[in-house]
Amino acid sequence: MNVSQLIVGINGSLRAASSNAALLRAVARVLPDGVGFEIYDGMDTLPHFNPDLDAEGMEPPPPVRALRELLARADAIVISSPEYAHGIPGALKNLLDWLVSDGALVDKPVALLNAAPAGGHYAQAALAETLRTMNWRLIDEASRMEPFVRRKIAGELTDDDALAVLRGALDALLRAAT
Ligand SMILES: Cc1cc2nc3c(=O)[nH]c(=O)nc-3n(C[C@H](O)[C@H](O)[C@H](O)COP(=O)(O)O)c2cc1C
């Protein structure tokens, strides 16, 4: 298949049966033909962020380099994350902290989703603030700041209305990424 665009998905949850992982798998199902999609799966291998390990000219730890290389290849990024205690999961914030200094990601189109049937808006707002501060290009029409999944996802996302919302969000993201 000739893949013309690549979208990378980042899940803020490390849970084995993560509903945000199911949502990202649904993204893969609804994307148009010819659009590549890869879910980043190394968040639990990243060391704790330390600016001393991220100084100018320094070779980053290998898991960080792999993350940066993957995201540099992406035309756009989708983040789907749970909310923990009205904030974003520490593992996801750690991942983002490793990317603050990465100039290759400035202006990268990004969409925010989350799989929670209710709530999640504190985390979405915090993520949006962080990403704008990092100068990523948050695509509002491609993001869902309020819940759109009606029931907790068990297994795979099959709800037609939710899948239609996802399709609309991804269309907006792909338009922004061209
Ligand atoms: C420690 C912890 C704290 C949570 N805090 C919140 C919260 O403040 N607001 C909220 O809407 N959900 C909260 N939740 C629920 C999760 O955000 C929700 O279950 C999410 O869908 C889990 O995502 P996952 O299935 O991808 O792991 C919390 C869950 C955990 C484990």
Side-chain angles (χ1 to χ4, degrees), residues 17-96:
S18 163
S19 51
N20 287 284
L23 193 145
L24 289 173
R25 291 195 297 273
V27 166
R29 299 204 314 271
V30 302
L31 275 173
D33 287 347
V35 179
F37 184 63
E38 199 168 323
I39 299 177
Y40 171 68
D41 68 355
M43 190 165 74
D44 58 350
T45 68
L46 296 171
H48 290 160
F49 176 68
N50 178 346
D52 289 343
L53 304 178
D54 193 35
E56 187 86 37
M58 195 178 255
E59 183 65 21
V64 174
R65 195 176 67 191
L67 169 67
R68 289 177 179 172
E69 284 175 357
L70 175 65
L71 297 183
R73 286 196 290 116
D75 295 286
I77 296 169
V78 174
I79 299 178
S80 189
S81 178
E83 174 172 299
Y84 290 163
H86 288 188
I88 74 174
L92 178 60
K93 184 61 167 63
N94 183 57
L95 177 152
L96 293 174

Side-chain angles (χ1 to χ4, degrees), residues 11-22 80-87 89 114-123 152-153:
N11 180 6
S13 172
L14 291 171
R15 222 161 57 82
S18 163
S19 51
N20 287 284
S80 189
S81 178
E83 174 172 299
Y84 290 163
H86 288 188
N114 93 70
H121 47 274
Y122 291 102
K152 191 159 177 65
I153 304 171

Side-chain angles (χ1 to χ4, degrees), residues 92-106:
L92 178 60
K93 184 61 167 63
N94 183 57
L95 177 152
L96 293 174
D97 287 345
W98 278 114
L99 302 174
V100 169
S101 65
D102 190 348
L105 298 176
V106 167

Side-chain angles (χ1 to χ4, degrees), residues 117-152:
H121 47 274
Y122 291 102
Q124 295 296 76
L127 260 175
E129 177 66 17
T130 295
L131 294 170
R132 287 193 185 108
T133 303
M134 291 166 64
N135 293 313
W136 291 20
R137 185 152 49 101
L138 180 63
I139 310 300
D140 292 329
E141 319 84 71
S143 300
R144 294 296 171 268
M145 308 308 277
E146 299 298 329
F148 71 98
V149 174
R150 284 187 293 198
R151 273 171 246 97
K152 191 159 177 65

